[in-house]
Amino acid sequence: MAEKVAVDPQAFKKAVDDRTNARLKMWLEICAHCGLCADTCHFYLSNDRDPKLIPAIKGKKVLEAFKKKDKIDEAFLEELYWTVYGDCTMCRRCTMFCPFGIDIATITSTGRGLCVSQGKVPENLVKTIESYYEYGNQMEVSEEDWIDTLQWMEEELQEELPGATIPIDKKGANLLYTVNAREPKFYPMDISQAAMVFYLAGEDWTMSSKGWDDTNLAMFAGDLKAAGYVSQLVRDAAEELEVKRVAITE
Amino acid sequence: MNLVTLYELLRGPLLWLAFGVFFGGMVLRVILFYRLSKRKDGVIYRFFSWKWLWLSIFRWIVPLNETAKKNPIVTLVGFVFHICLIATPIFLLAHGVLWYESWEISWWSLSEQVADYMTLIVIGCGLFFAIRRMVLPHVRIVTTAADYLLLAVTLTPFVTGYLAYHQYFDYNTVLILHMFFGELMLVVIPFTKLSHFLMFFFSRAITGMEFGRRSAPSW
Ligand code: SF4
Ligand code: SF4
């Protein structure tokens, strides 16, 4: 039996209505189809200037989706999926070079949101979103492992700089330092190096046992609900610890 | 219906209608934009900044940006085209006379010779854009029938105006066509991408502010 991708036209229409806003409507209408954005896009340049990859084409595909609403079918969804996840990294370079400042990155992100409504999201991104919900970070780092890593890094740090610490959950600190979950998972030394800088700068800082991952791959995936959840984790940590500001890793 | 009544229709009620649709349509566009944006585009108002708004518009209304530097020919043709497109009908002596006849208002006008050249420039630039669309693969691929149609709608008033001024073909017929196409263009502006003559400012402002809030220029 052939694999069947379920299309939910009503959910798609609802996503279109939800994501319609004044900027998007304006941009999709006024694009002059001038092609001046073409050679600002790395997809176009690195594929022998394949005209199918110019930024405006991505806008056009999302415009089609907006026009189709509940008239979408599997074939179209597939096309949209490959365009918004496969042909654009939402870097916004083209936005800088378009005479109107049309924000293709935001348009692509909207297109991804439409795919989310159909559960059509790249598998790896789905996994990271699940990890955010379950572990509060994208790399399935448990709280226990996180604290262990911080303590281990503190020991390493103290070998070089006696007296330096990695404070955890210090209330009222000036700065909450958040990291990419890759750091505890693969490059823990990054954390002790940052701690070194903070120590030498005399910064009043802390790390948090919860809400410490500052990446937001849910946003990258176009899943706004999950993206909101992820940002909220950091915000909650900052409020809980009553810090003045949140710093994010380089 | 003979030519005289047709002329009077186009000179009277239909002209009113065209101006009405044009101005009313654009005002409506702005109102609808504002209302929807208040509801769904919080980011505009949250990071509103006059500084980035003006800088972004200024940098593009005079060509002071990377795109202009990288595409000198398109930029030059684009600017000349837009300037002549807007200035010629407004400062044309023959149009001034009509305003004076109806309203007894008048303003400075171009010499007929200059206006004639400017008309040719608009047509020439328009043809440049049409050819560019056909020849460059990355422009051809995003081009739709509407792009050609709207270019035609923009150029026909100038072509017929040129023919009327030089009295080629039957003057009365050409004049009537000229009025018709001019009014047609006014009417379609609010409902098509030609509305960019105004929405340009909104879009530039918004992107200028969006980049500006990260202290990054959008030009
Ligand atoms: S996105 Fe901008 S630069 Fe690209 S075709 Fe549209 S108007 Fe031209
Ligand atoms: S935002 Fe997308 S389309 Fe624009 S330059 Fe980046 S990758 Fe290309």
Side-chain angles (χ1 to χ4, degrees):
Chain A
M1 212 170 79
E3 198 196 332
K4 181 124 172 56
V5 192
V7 185
D8 181 347
Q10 286 316 313
F12 196 83
K13 181 172 182 298
K14 185 173 178 307
V16 167
D17 292 340
D18 286 349
R19 299 292 294 248
T20 300
N21 63 37
R23 282 168 301 156
L24 216 65
K25 274 178 92 162
M26 169 175 69
W27 286 330
L28 294 176
E29 186 191 88
I30 65 173
C31 172
H33 301 151
C34 65
L36 286 174
C37 48
D39 58 7
T40 65
C41 180
H42 46 281
F43 281 94
Y44 173 71
L45 292 177
S46 59
N47 285 284
D48 296 327
R49 303 184 161 256
D50 180 352
K52 285 194 292 301
L53 291 170
I54 76 163
I57 285 279
K58 297 151 206 182
K60 221 175 155 190
K61 193 50 79 209
V62 175
L63 175 63
E64 267 176 61
F66 269 70
K67 286 198 173 146
K68 280 193 192 298
K69 290 196 167 188
D70 53 1
K71 306 268 177 330
I72 57 148
D73 52 28
E74 269 166 53
F76 178 77
L77 183 62
E78 196 67 24
E79 275 172 40
L80 179 68
Y81 173 82
W82 283 104
T83 303
V84 294
Y85 287 108
D87 296 345
C88 177
T89 48
M90 314 197 294
C91 71
R92 268 189 172 165
R93 200 172 132 77
C94 52
T95 311
M96 255 177 89
F97 292 91
C98 165
F100 295 145
I102 293 177
D103 195 348
I104 297 293
T106 296
I107 295 172
T108 296
S109 168
T110 307
R112 291 187 182 186
L114 302 183
C115 290
V116 169
S117 78
Q118 305 298 303
K120 204 153 167 54
V121 180
E123 209 178 308
N124 283 332
L125 284 175
V126 174
K127 276 195 201 134
T128 59
I129 293 173
E130 282 165 4
S131 172
Y132 281 120
Y133 278 121
E134 195 168 334
Y135 296 92
N137 64 76
Q138 55 144 309
M139 291 254 147
E140 304 186 353
V141 179
S142 68
E143 188 171 333
E144 203 186 339
D145 283 349
W146 168 241
I147 303 284
D148 268 359
T149 308
L150 292 182
Q151 284 167 348
W152 167 41
M153 281 304 114
E154 188 177 61
E155 280 161 28
E156 300 262 316
L157 175 68
Q158 285 168 347
E159 272 171 31
E160 252 182 278
L161 276 178
T165 56
I166 297 184
I168 303 173
D169 292 339
K170 180 177 168 206
K171 268 215 164 177
N174 182 44
L175 195 124
L176 166 63
Y177 182 58
T178 59
V179 298
N180 181 328
R182 272 180 181 277
E183 293 176 48
K185 191 94 177 172
F186 302 118
Y187 321 103
M189 291 307 281
D190 285 3
I191 299 174
S192 60
Q193 276 156 9
M196 220 177 266
V197 173
F198 288 136
Y199 175 72
L200 293 173
E203 181 61 58
D204 175 20
W205 70 295
T206 185
M207 301 206 72
S208 171
S209 54
K210 292 188 182 62
W212 48 266
D213 183 359
D214 52 29
T215 63
N216 198 332
L217 289 171
M219 187 166 122
F220 191 64
D223 187 341
L224 290 189
K225 208 169 127 229
Y229 172 80
V230 174
S231 331
Q232 192 66 40
L233 291 175
V234 176
R235 195 192 164 112
D236 288 347
E239 281 175 359
E240 167 95 26
L241 295 173
E242 296 164 16
V243 294
K244 290 201 189 62
R245 38 181 105 210
V246 175
I248 60 172
T249 185
E250 190 239 317
Chain B
M1 200 188 304
N2 60 30
L3 285 185
V4 179
T5 33
L6 205 55
Y7 175 88
E8 272 161 7
L9 259 180
L10 286 163
R11 171 80 175 87
L14 289 180
L15 183 64
W16 274 110
L17 189 72
F19 274 121
V21 171
F22 171 67
F23 285 110
M26 285 319 297
V27 169
L28 195 69
R29 284 289 307 261
V30 173
I31 294 175
L32 289 178
F33 181 90
Y34 179 74
R35 284 187 31 186
L36 183 59
S37 70
K38 271 286 177 191
R39 213 153 45 81
K40 304 275 285 258
D41 304 69
V43 67
I44 302 175
Y45 303 98
R46 221 171 125 204
F47 297 99
F48 195 88
S49 148
W50 287 108
K51 176 186 150 197
W52 290 104
L53 176 150
W54 287 121
L55 276 175
S56 173
I57 292 174
F58 171 75
R59 284 283 185 154
W60 289 84
I61 203 117
V62 297
L64 259 181
N65 51 67
E66 281 303 310
T67 301
K69 258 187 252 163
K70 284 203 307 186
N71 307 277
I73 297 173
V74 179
T75 305
L76 182 74
V77 177
F79 270 77
V80 169
F81 173 73
H82 282 90
I83 292 168
C84 294
L85 181 77
I86 296 167
T88 314
I90 296 179
F91 297 113
L92 189 81
L93 185 63
H95 288 176
V97 170
L98 293 175
W99 284 102
Y100 190 77
E101 271 177 15
S102 311
W103 296 83
E104 300 211 355
I105 45 171
S106 64
W107 54 81
W108 179 83
S109 53
L110 290 160
S111 89
E112 296 205 315
Q113 188 66 59
V114 172
D116 202 37
Y117 287 140
M118 286 168 72
T119 307
L120 283 178
I121 288 174
V122 171
I123 298 169
C125 295
L127 291 179
F128 170 87
F129 287 132
I131 292 168
R132 184 173 175 272
R133 276 202 188 290
M134 290 182 238
V135 174
L136 298 181
H138 66 276
V139 188
R140 192 171 52 218
I141 197 166
V142 269
T143 298
T144 59
D147 292 321
Y148 286 115
L149 218 60
L150 288 171
L151 189 57
V153 166
T154 311
L155 293 185
T156 41
F158 289 85
V159 173
T160 50
Y162 185 80
L163 295 179
Y165 174 67
H166 291 277
Q167 312 224 344
Y168 295 129
F169 307 110
D170 176 45
Y171 178 71
N172 289 329
T173 314
V174 171
L175 189 67
I176 281 172
L177 284 175
H178 174 65
M179 293 163 79
F180 171 77
F181 284 125
E183 288 167 24
L184 179 70
M185 174 166 130
L186 282 177
V187 167
V188 302
I189 288 173
F191 309 103
T192 59
K193 68 167 185 173
L194 297 186
S195 60
H196 74 252
F197 90 92
L198 186 64
M199 302 322 278
F200 164 87
F201 296 92
F202 287 70
S203 183
R204 274 257 57 95
I206 288 166
T207 296
M209 297 187 294
E210 174 68 17
F211 275 61
R213 73 185 168 102
R214 301 178 172 88
S215 306
S218 55
W219 48 82

